[in-house]
Amino acid sequence: MTGSVEVVYRGIFQKHLGQRITRGVVLAARKEGKVGVSFGRYGDSPERNGIPAKSFAVVADTEEELQAYLSRYEPNNNDVTVAVDDTLCKGVESWAWYGLQPINKLTRPGGTVLVTSIQTPEELLKDCHGKNAEWNLAVIKGMASFSGLWVYKDDHTDVRVLGAIAKLAPHVVKRQSVEAAIRDEWKDELKVTSARKSFDRVTTRKVRPDEGNLEKPYEFQLLKWWEMKEGLVIPAIPVKQQVEGWDGGYRPGRNPTFKKFTTRTMRPVVDFETCTKCTICWMQCPDSCFDITPTGHYDANMEACCGCGVCEAVCPVKDCITMVNEQAFEDNASQFEAHQKDPAAYKAWLTTTIKDKAITHRSHGFRYRGQYEEELAQMAAGGDGESGD
Ligand code: SF4
Ligand code: SF4
Protein backbone atom coordinates (compact mmCIF):
# COMPACT_ATOMS: atom_id res chain seq x y z
CA MET A 1 0.00 0.00 0.00
CA THR A 2 1.28 3.48 -0.84
CA GLY A 3 0.44 6.82 0.67
CA SER A 4 1.50 10.33 -0.23
CA VAL A 5 1.54 13.80 1.23
CA GLU A 6 1.96 17.01 -0.73
CA VAL A 7 3.15 20.18 1.01
CA VAL A 8 2.42 23.42 -0.83
CA TYR A 9 4.62 26.21 0.48
CA ARG A 10 5.99 29.61 -0.41
CA GLY A 11 9.44 29.84 -1.97
CA ILE A 12 12.22 31.05 0.31
CA PHE A 13 9.91 31.92 3.22
CA GLN A 14 8.89 28.29 3.77
CA LYS A 15 11.41 26.30 1.80
CA HIS A 16 12.96 24.62 4.83
CA LEU A 17 9.55 24.10 6.45
CA GLY A 18 8.22 22.19 3.43
CA GLN A 19 11.28 19.98 3.32
CA ARG A 20 11.22 19.25 7.05
CA ILE A 21 7.60 18.12 6.93
CA THR A 22 7.97 15.71 4.02
CA ARG A 23 11.28 14.41 5.36
CA GLY A 24 9.58 13.89 8.74
CA VAL A 25 6.82 11.83 7.08
CA VAL A 26 9.39 9.52 5.49
CA LEU A 27 11.42 9.18 8.70
CA ALA A 28 8.24 8.31 10.61
CA ALA A 29 7.20 5.76 7.99
CA ARG A 30 10.62 4.12 8.30
CA LYS A 31 9.83 3.47 11.96
CA GLU A 32 6.97 1.27 10.74
CA GLY A 33 9.23 -0.69 8.40
CA LYS A 34 7.99 1.14 5.29
CA VAL A 35 10.09 2.72 2.58
CA GLY A 36 9.68 6.26 1.33
CA VAL A 37 11.03 9.24 -0.60
CA SER A 38 10.78 12.96 0.03
CA PHE A 39 11.38 15.30 -2.91
CA GLY A 40 10.59 18.75 -4.28
CA ARG A 41 8.84 19.87 -7.44
CA TYR A 42 8.66 23.48 -8.46
CA GLY A 43 6.43 25.65 -10.64
CA ASP A 44 9.14 28.24 -10.53
CA SER A 45 12.33 28.49 -8.57
CA PRO A 46 11.73 27.98 -4.84
CA GLU A 47 14.53 30.51 -4.41
CA ARG A 48 12.08 33.29 -5.32
CA ASN A 49 10.10 35.07 -2.62
CA GLY A 50 6.61 33.70 -2.21
CA ILE A 51 6.51 31.56 -5.33
CA PRO A 52 4.22 28.56 -4.73
CA ALA A 53 6.34 25.40 -4.62
CA LYS A 54 5.77 21.82 -3.56
CA SER A 55 7.45 19.12 -1.56
CA PHE A 56 6.14 15.53 -1.64
CA ALA A 57 6.50 12.48 0.60
CA VAL A 58 5.62 9.07 -0.81
CA VAL A 59 5.68 5.99 1.43
CA ALA A 60 4.99 2.36 0.58
CA ASP A 61 5.10 -1.09 2.12
CA THR A 62 7.59 -2.39 -0.44
CA GLU A 63 10.29 -1.07 -2.78
CA GLU A 64 8.32 -2.31 -5.79
CA GLU A 65 5.20 -0.37 -4.80
CA LEU A 66 7.27 2.73 -4.18
CA GLN A 67 8.97 2.55 -7.56
CA ALA A 68 5.67 1.96 -9.34
CA TYR A 69 4.15 5.02 -7.67
CA LEU A 70 7.16 7.21 -8.41
CA SER A 71 7.07 6.41 -12.10
CA ARG A 72 4.26 8.92 -12.51
CA TYR A 73 4.94 12.54 -13.34
CA GLU A 74 4.04 13.71 -9.84
CA PRO A 75 1.86 12.33 -7.03
CA ASN A 76 -1.66 13.31 -8.08
CA ASN A 77 -3.76 11.34 -5.62
CA ASN A 78 -2.49 12.58 -2.30
CA ASP A 79 -3.91 11.48 1.03
CA VAL A 80 -3.10 14.85 2.52
CA THR A 81 -2.35 18.20 0.88
CA VAL A 82 -0.76 20.61 3.34
CA ALA A 83 -1.00 24.37 2.73
CA VAL A 84 1.42 26.02 5.14
CA ASP A 85 0.12 29.47 4.22
CA ASP A 86 -3.66 29.90 4.02
CA THR A 87 -3.46 32.36 1.10
CA LEU A 88 -2.38 29.34 -1.00
CA CYS A 89 -6.00 28.15 -0.69
CA LYS A 90 -6.82 30.58 -3.51
CA GLY A 91 -4.93 28.26 -5.87
CA VAL A 92 -1.40 28.14 -7.21
CA GLU A 93 0.33 28.47 -10.54
CA SER A 94 2.47 25.40 -10.19
CA TRP A 95 4.92 23.23 -12.01
CA ALA A 96 3.34 20.94 -14.61
CA TRP A 97 0.14 22.98 -14.62
CA TYR A 98 -1.04 25.71 -16.95
CA GLY A 99 -3.25 28.22 -15.24
CA LEU A 100 -4.50 28.28 -11.67
CA GLN A 101 -4.33 24.91 -9.91
CA PRO A 102 -6.90 24.59 -7.07
CA ILE A 103 -5.26 23.72 -3.75
CA ASN A 104 -7.27 20.47 -3.59
CA LYS A 105 -6.63 19.44 -7.20
CA LEU A 106 -4.09 16.74 -6.34
CA THR A 107 -5.87 15.60 -3.16
CA ARG A 108 -7.54 12.23 -3.60
CA PRO A 109 -11.34 12.00 -3.24
CA GLY A 110 -11.98 11.64 0.50
CA GLY A 111 -8.51 13.02 1.24
CA THR A 112 -7.73 16.07 3.33
CA VAL A 113 -6.42 19.57 2.76
CA LEU A 114 -4.64 20.61 5.96
CA VAL A 115 -4.13 24.36 6.42
CA THR A 116 -2.26 26.34 9.07
CA SER A 117 -4.53 29.32 9.61
CA ILE A 118 -6.29 31.53 12.07
CA GLN A 119 -9.33 31.55 9.77
CA THR A 120 -12.29 29.24 10.26
CA PRO A 121 -12.96 26.38 7.77
CA GLU A 122 -15.96 28.35 6.48
CA GLU A 123 -13.78 31.38 5.78
CA LEU A 124 -11.16 29.21 4.07
CA LEU A 125 -13.84 27.57 1.93
CA LYS A 126 -14.51 30.92 0.26
CA ASP A 127 -11.03 30.54 -1.25
CA CYS A 128 -10.71 26.78 -1.85
CA HIS A 129 -12.14 25.76 -5.21
CA GLY A 130 -14.93 23.20 -5.44
CA LYS A 131 -13.97 19.60 -6.17
CA ASN A 132 -15.90 16.94 -8.03
CA ALA A 133 -15.87 14.64 -4.96
CA GLU A 134 -16.13 14.82 -1.20
CA TRP A 135 -13.00 15.93 0.59
CA ASN A 136 -12.00 17.16 4.05
CA LEU A 137 -10.69 20.48 5.23
CA ALA A 138 -8.58 20.39 8.39
CA VAL A 139 -7.14 23.37 10.24
CA ILE A 140 -4.22 23.76 12.61
CA LYS A 141 -4.65 27.07 14.37
CA GLY A 142 -1.73 29.38 13.73
CA MET A 143 -0.19 32.10 11.57
CA ALA A 144 1.84 31.14 8.52
CA SER A 145 5.40 30.38 9.56
CA PHE A 146 7.66 32.50 7.35
CA SER A 147 11.41 32.62 7.62
CA GLY A 148 14.25 33.48 5.27
CA LEU A 149 16.73 32.00 2.86
CA TRP A 150 19.29 31.21 5.55
CA VAL A 151 17.09 31.23 8.64
CA TYR A 152 14.65 28.58 9.81
CA LYS A 153 11.95 29.76 12.18
CA ASP A 154 11.71 26.86 14.60
CA ASP A 155 8.22 27.58 15.90
CA HIS A 156 7.15 23.90 15.83
CA THR A 157 4.96 24.29 12.74
CA ASP A 158 6.83 21.32 11.22
CA VAL A 159 6.00 18.93 14.05
CA ARG A 160 2.48 20.28 14.49
CA VAL A 161 1.80 19.44 10.86
CA LEU A 162 3.36 16.00 11.32
CA GLY A 163 1.17 15.32 14.36
CA ALA A 164 -1.93 16.35 12.40
CA ILE A 165 -0.96 14.14 9.42
CA ALA A 166 -0.78 11.16 11.79
CA LYS A 167 -4.36 11.89 12.87
CA LEU A 168 -5.71 12.50 9.35
CA ALA A 169 -3.91 9.68 7.53
CA PRO A 170 -2.83 6.99 10.02
CA HIS A 171 -2.32 4.56 7.13
CA VAL A 172 0.53 6.85 5.97
CA VAL A 173 2.13 7.42 9.40
CA LYS A 174 0.99 6.68 12.94
CA ARG A 175 1.32 9.00 15.92
CA GLN A 176 3.82 6.77 17.71
CA SER A 177 6.12 6.63 14.70
CA VAL A 178 5.89 10.41 14.20
CA GLU A 179 6.88 10.90 17.84
CA ALA A 180 9.74 8.42 17.55
CA ALA A 181 11.02 10.13 14.39
CA ILE A 182 10.88 13.56 16.04
CA ARG A 183 12.85 12.22 19.02
CA ASP A 184 15.50 10.77 16.74
CA GLU A 185 15.71 13.67 14.30
CA TRP A 186 15.32 16.72 16.51
CA LYS A 187 16.04 15.29 19.95
CA ASP A 188 13.54 17.66 21.52
CA GLU A 189 10.81 16.42 23.86
CA LEU A 190 8.99 19.75 23.56
CA LYS A 191 8.56 19.12 19.84
CA VAL A 192 7.10 15.70 20.61
CA THR A 193 4.59 17.39 22.91
CA SER A 194 3.69 19.89 20.17
CA ALA A 195 3.08 17.07 17.70
CA ARG A 196 0.87 15.24 20.20
CA LYS A 197 -1.16 18.35 20.98
CA SER A 198 -1.70 18.94 17.31
CA PHE A 199 -2.79 15.30 16.88
CA ASP A 200 -5.40 15.85 19.60
CA ARG A 201 -6.56 19.30 18.50
CA VAL A 202 -6.66 19.33 14.70
CA THR A 203 -10.21 20.01 13.53
CA THR A 204 -11.70 18.54 10.38
CA ARG A 205 -14.75 19.39 8.33
CA LYS A 206 -16.24 17.33 5.52
CA VAL A 207 -16.70 19.29 2.30
CA ARG A 208 -19.34 18.41 -0.27
CA PRO A 209 -18.74 18.78 -4.01
CA ASP A 210 -21.12 21.74 -4.16
CA GLU A 211 -19.19 23.69 -1.51
CA GLY A 212 -16.19 25.98 -1.86
CA ASN A 213 -15.39 28.58 -4.49
CA LEU A 214 -17.25 27.28 -7.54
CA GLU A 215 -15.62 29.73 -9.94
CA LYS A 216 -13.80 28.00 -12.78
CA PRO A 217 -10.06 28.42 -12.20
CA TYR A 218 -8.12 30.28 -14.83
CA GLU A 219 -6.44 28.01 -17.39
CA PHE A 220 -4.99 28.18 -20.85
CA GLN A 221 -4.35 25.65 -23.60
CA LEU A 222 -0.93 24.94 -24.96
CA LEU A 223 -0.44 24.71 -28.71
CA LYS A 224 -1.28 21.25 -30.05
CA TRP A 225 1.46 19.51 -32.00
CA TRP A 226 -0.27 20.24 -35.30
CA GLU A 227 -0.43 23.93 -34.43
CA MET A 228 3.30 24.27 -33.70
CA LYS A 229 5.19 26.69 -35.88
CA GLU A 230 8.38 25.76 -37.63
CA GLY A 231 11.54 26.44 -35.67
CA LEU A 232 11.46 28.08 -32.26
CA VAL A 233 8.83 30.80 -32.43
CA ILE A 234 7.78 32.55 -29.24
CA PRO A 235 4.97 35.06 -29.72
CA ALA A 236 5.94 38.47 -28.37
CA ILE A 237 3.93 40.20 -25.66
CA PRO A 238 2.04 43.22 -27.07
CA VAL A 239 3.31 46.63 -25.99
CA LYS A 240 -0.09 47.90 -24.92
CA GLN A 241 -3.43 46.38 -23.97
CA GLN A 242 -6.82 47.98 -24.34
CA VAL A 243 -8.86 48.38 -21.16
CA GLU A 244 -12.57 48.07 -21.69
CA GLY A 245 -14.49 51.07 -20.42
CA TRP A 246 -11.42 53.26 -20.11
CA ASP A 247 -11.26 56.33 -22.30
CA GLY A 248 -7.54 57.04 -22.24
CA GLY A 249 -5.06 55.62 -19.78
CA TYR A 250 -2.47 52.99 -20.51
CA ARG A 251 -1.97 49.33 -19.64
CA PRO A 252 1.30 47.72 -20.62
CA GLY A 253 1.10 44.35 -22.37
CA ARG A 254 1.57 41.46 -19.94
CA ASN A 255 2.22 37.77 -20.18
CA PRO A 256 -1.23 36.33 -20.94
CA THR A 257 -0.41 32.87 -19.57
CA PHE A 258 1.50 33.50 -16.35
CA LYS A 259 -0.32 35.84 -14.00
CA LYS A 260 1.99 35.81 -10.95
CA PHE A 261 -0.68 36.74 -8.43
CA THR A 262 -0.53 33.40 -6.58
CA THR A 263 2.92 34.44 -5.42
CA ARG A 264 1.32 37.17 -3.33
CA THR A 265 0.68 37.00 0.41
CA MET A 266 -0.10 40.72 0.67
CA ARG A 267 -1.41 43.22 -1.85
CA PRO A 268 -1.09 47.01 -2.15
CA VAL A 269 -4.19 49.05 -1.43
CA VAL A 270 -4.08 52.53 -2.96
CA ASP A 271 -5.70 55.68 -1.62
CA PHE A 272 -6.55 57.55 -4.83
CA GLU A 273 -7.60 60.67 -2.88
CA THR A 274 -4.17 61.27 -1.36
CA CYS A 275 -2.19 60.10 -4.40
CA THR A 276 -0.25 62.99 -5.96
CA LYS A 277 0.27 61.15 -9.27
CA CYS A 278 4.02 61.42 -8.76
CA THR A 279 4.60 58.27 -10.92
CA ILE A 280 7.14 56.72 -8.54
CA CYS A 281 5.18 53.50 -7.88
CA TRP A 282 4.64 53.06 -11.61
CA MET A 283 8.33 53.47 -12.36
CA GLN A 284 9.61 51.39 -9.47
CA CYS A 285 7.28 48.38 -9.62
CA PRO A 286 9.60 45.56 -10.72
CA ASP A 287 6.75 43.80 -12.52
CA SER A 288 5.21 46.78 -14.38
CA CYS A 289 1.96 46.19 -12.54
CA PHE A 290 0.53 49.66 -12.53
CA ASP A 291 -2.10 50.60 -15.09
CA ILE A 292 -2.24 54.33 -15.81
CA THR A 293 -5.87 55.29 -15.47
CA PRO A 294 -7.72 57.87 -17.59
CA THR A 295 -7.53 60.27 -14.59
CA GLY A 296 -3.73 59.87 -14.34
CA HIS A 297 -3.84 57.71 -11.20
CA TYR A 298 -1.95 54.43 -10.90
CA ASP A 299 -3.97 51.26 -10.39
CA ALA A 300 -2.02 48.20 -9.24
CA ASN A 301 -3.21 45.40 -11.51
CA MET A 302 -4.06 42.52 -9.23
CA GLU A 303 -3.54 39.78 -11.80
CA ALA A 304 0.04 40.92 -12.33
CA CYS A 305 1.08 42.02 -8.83
CA CYS A 306 3.28 39.54 -6.95
CA GLY A 307 3.01 41.48 -3.67
CA CYS A 308 6.66 42.46 -3.23
CA GLY A 309 5.81 45.69 -1.36
CA VAL A 310 8.21 47.94 -3.29
CA CYS A 311 5.40 50.37 -4.19
CA GLU A 312 4.49 50.82 -0.52
CA ALA A 313 8.14 51.44 0.33
CA VAL A 314 8.70 54.08 -2.38
CA CYS A 315 5.40 55.97 -2.25
CA PRO A 316 6.22 59.38 -0.74
CA VAL A 317 2.71 60.02 0.62
CA LYS A 318 1.97 58.61 4.07
CA ASP A 319 -0.50 55.69 4.00
CA CYS A 320 -1.23 56.23 0.31
CA ILE A 321 -0.16 52.66 -0.48
CA THR A 322 -0.58 50.04 2.23
CA MET A 323 0.22 46.36 1.95
CA VAL A 324 -2.70 44.30 3.27
CA ASN A 325 -2.88 40.57 3.97
CA GLU A 326 -4.25 38.71 0.95
CA GLN A 327 -6.81 36.94 3.11
CA ALA A 328 -8.85 40.15 3.20
CA PHE A 329 -9.72 39.84 -0.51
CA GLU A 330 -11.75 37.46 -2.59
CA ASP A 331 -11.02 38.61 -6.13
CA ASN A 332 -8.57 40.58 -8.26
CA ALA A 333 -10.96 43.42 -9.09
CA SER A 334 -9.62 46.87 -9.99
CA GLN A 335 -9.39 49.21 -7.02
CA PHE A 336 -9.53 52.22 -9.30
CA GLU A 337 -12.81 51.08 -10.80
CA ALA A 338 -14.27 50.52 -7.32
CA HIS A 339 -13.15 54.03 -6.39
CA GLN A 340 -14.67 55.54 -9.53
CA LYS A 341 -17.97 53.80 -8.88
CA ASP A 342 -18.39 55.01 -5.32
CA PRO A 343 -15.53 57.12 -3.87
CA ALA A 344 -17.10 57.35 -0.40
CA ALA A 345 -17.67 53.59 -0.13
CA TYR A 346 -14.13 52.96 -1.38
CA LYS A 347 -12.66 55.32 1.21
CA ALA A 348 -14.65 53.63 3.99
CA TRP A 349 -13.50 50.16 2.84
CA LEU A 350 -9.90 51.33 2.53
CA THR A 351 -9.88 52.94 5.98
CA THR A 352 -11.27 49.83 7.66
CA THR A 353 -9.01 47.48 5.74
CA ILE A 354 -5.71 49.20 6.36
CA LYS A 355 -6.50 49.99 9.99
CA ASP A 356 -7.18 46.39 10.90
CA LYS A 357 -3.93 45.30 12.48
CA ALA A 358 -4.85 41.63 12.35
CA ILE A 359 -5.23 41.91 8.60
CA THR A 360 -2.32 44.20 7.71
CA HIS A 361 0.21 42.59 10.02
CA ARG A 362 2.11 39.80 8.34
CA SER A 363 5.77 38.86 8.62
CA HIS A 364 7.63 38.16 5.40
CA GLY A 365 10.48 36.45 7.15
CA PHE A 366 13.79 37.65 8.46
CA ARG A 367 15.86 40.31 6.80
CA TYR A 368 18.71 40.84 9.23
CA ARG A 369 20.78 38.78 11.61
CA GLY A 370 19.26 38.55 15.08
CA GLN A 371 15.67 39.33 14.00
CA TYR A 372 14.43 35.90 15.05
CA GLU A 373 16.01 36.31 18.50
CA GLU A 374 14.26 39.70 18.76
CA GLU A 375 10.93 38.08 17.95
CA LEU A 376 11.47 35.40 20.59
CA ALA A 377 12.24 38.09 23.15
CA GLN A 378 9.08 40.00 22.16
CA MET A 379 7.00 36.85 22.49
CA ALA A 380 8.46 36.19 25.93
CA ALA A 381 7.51 39.76 26.86
CA GLY A 382 3.93 39.15 25.76
CA GLY A 383 3.92 40.60 22.23
CA ASP A 384 2.85 38.73 19.12
CA GLY A 385 6.46 38.14 18.18
CA GLU A 386 6.29 39.76 14.76
CA SER A 387 8.22 42.95 14.29
CA GLY A 388 6.25 44.10 11.28
CA ASP A 389 7.43 45.02 7.86
S1 SF4 B 1 3.53 45.04 -4.54
FE1 SF4 B 1 3.60 46.94 -5.69
S2 SF4 B 1 5.67 47.05 -6.53
FE2 SF4 B 1 5.31 44.91 -5.90
S3 SF4 B 1 4.55 43.86 -7.72
FE3 SF4 B 1 2.75 44.61 -6.61
S4 SF4 B 1 2.30 46.60 -7.48
FE4 SF4 B 1 4.38 46.07 -8.09
S1 SF4 C 1 3.87 56.59 -5.53
FE1 SF4 C 1 2.08 57.02 -4.28
S2 SF4 C 1 1.66 59.18 -4.64
FE2 SF4 C 1 3.03 58.51 -6.27
S3 SF4 C 1 1.67 57.93 -7.96
FE3 SF4 C 1 2.06 56.07 -6.77
S4 SF4 C 1 0.38 55.97 -5.31
FE4 SF4 C 1 0.42 58.05 -6.12
Side-chain angles (χ1 to χ4, degrees):
M1 185 179 182
T2 52
S4 61
V5 172
E6 164 195 42
V7 178
V8 190
Y9 66 91
R10 294 214 173 268
I12 293 195
F13 306 140
Q14 299 184 310
K15 172 175 121 132
H16 302 288
L17 177 63
Q19 288 164 358
R20 284 167 77 108
I21 295 168
T22 50
R23 186 160 184 270
V25 170
V26 174
L27 292 175
R30 297 283 294 163
K31 299 282 175 203
E32 297 169 25
K34 297 178 185 170
V35 286
V37 178
S38 154
F39 57 98
R41 288 275 164 86
Y42 315 118
D44 196 331
S45 167
E47 311 298 347
R48 284 183 63 198
N49 282 351
I51 208 88
K54 295 189 180 196
S55 200
F56 293 96
V58 180
V59 301
D61 291 333
T62 65
E63 287 276 354
E64 289 72 24
E65 282 177 317
L66 183 65
Q67 283 178 17
Y69 195 92
L70 290 175
S71 61
R72 31 181 112 182
Y73 204 38
E74 70 177 354
N76 57 4
N77 209 21
N78 295 294
D79 297 279
V80 182
T81 295
V82 183
V84 276
D85 173 21
D86 57 5
T87 59
L88 291 162
C89 289
K90 295 185 177 197
V92 296
E93 280 186 284
S94 86
W95 179 86
W97 192 263
Y98 303 103
L100 189 68
Q101 184 187 80
I103 191 69
N104 53 16
K105 178 74 188 173
L106 303 185
T107 317
R108 69 165 171 77
T112 305
V113 174
L114 170 64
V115 188
T116 52
S117 181
I118 52 170
Q119 297 189 74
T120 62
E122 282 63 35
E123 285 166 333
L124 290 170
L125 271 180
K126 288 183 194 157
D127 292 338
C128 299
H129 289 85
K131 188 174 174 70
N132 197 17
E134 273 204 355
W135 55 288
N136 301 293
L137 179 60
V139 180
I140 302 179
K141 281 275 169 211
M143 298 284 285
S145 174
F146 286 153
S147 52
L149 188 55
W150 308 114
V151 185
Y152 178 65
K153 187 176 188 177
D154 199 1
D155 58 4
H156 291 204
T157 299
D158 49 359
V159 292
R160 294 180 72 213
V161 170
L162 286 169
I165 291 172
K167 178 72 164 283
L168 303 167
H171 61 286
V172 178
V173 278
K174 298 193 173 35
R175 179 172 67 83
Q176 291 80 357
S177 47
V178 163
E179 291 181 5
I182 293 170
R183 268 193 201 98
D184 276 5
E185 177 71 4
W186 291 295
K187 301 183 180 20
D188 183 343
E189 211 47 43
L190 213 51
K191 276 182 166 278
V192 176
T193 309
S194 291
R196 196 174 303 151
K197 277 191 189 158
S198 179
F199 179 93
D200 292 336
R201 292 179 185 170
V202 62
T203 57
T204 310
R205 177 201 192 283
K206 274 204 181 317
V207 187
R208 297 187 314 269
D210 62 345
E211 290 184 289
N213 173 8
L214 299 180
E215 229 171 64
K216 190 174 179 318
Y218 164 77
E219 63 179 11
F220 71 92
Q221 297 297 322
L222 281 185
L223 287 179
K224 303 288 182 289
W225 65 267
W226 64 85
E227 297 167 325
M228 297 268 183
K229 295 172 187 158
E230 280 182 30
L232 186 63
V233 179
I234 301 174
I237 292 173
V239 174
K240 182 184 175 180
Q241 281 174 277
Q242 292 302 325
V243 186
E244 212 175 299
W246 283 17
D247 183 13
Y250 181 82
R251 172 178 293 172
R254 300 193 174 107
N255 189 326
T257 48
F258 179 45
K259 303 287 187 189
K260 293 191 301 225
F261 64 84
T262 62
T263 299
R264 196 169 62 215
T265 61
M266 300 183 84
R267 70 169 65 178
V269 172
V270 181
D271 188 340
F272 298 102
E273 284 179 23
T274 57
C275 169
T276 59
K277 306 181 187 176
C278 73
T279 78
I280 294 177
C281 57
W282 175 62
M283 286 194 289
Q284 294 294 322
C285 171
D287 288 275
S288 307
C289 292
F290 282 91
D291 297 337
I292 306 174
T293 70
T295 57
H297 290 93
Y298 296 87
D299 188 26
N301 187 294
M302 285 302 128
E303 290 214 324
C305 168
C306 63
C308 70
V310 164
C311 51
E312 180 193 53
V314 297
C315 177
V317 180
K318 189 172 181 309
D319 293 337
C320 180
I321 298 184
T322 309
M323 297 302 289
V324 176
N325 188 335
E326 190 59 24
Q327 88 179 45
F329 309 92
E330 273 156 34
D331 58 31
N332 285 329
S334 160
Q335 293 172 12
F336 174 73
E337 285 171 10
H339 175 259
Q340 289 294 95
K341 209 164 138 201
D342 188 343
Y346 182 80
K347 184 76 179 180
W349 168 82
L350 174 136
T351 311
T352 324
T353 306
I354 67 173
K355 282 207 170 135
D356 188 337
K357 186 88 173 145
I359 288 178
T360 56
H361 200 75
R362 190 169 180 85
S363 167
H364 276 82
F366 306 109
R367 288 166 304 283
Y368 54 88
R369 191 175 288 181
Q371 191 181 351
Y372 182 38
E373 286 70 20
E374 276 176 25
E375 284 192 7
L376 288 177
Q378 280 174 28
M379 276 156 77
D384 62 8
E386 301 208 352
S387 51
D389 292 320

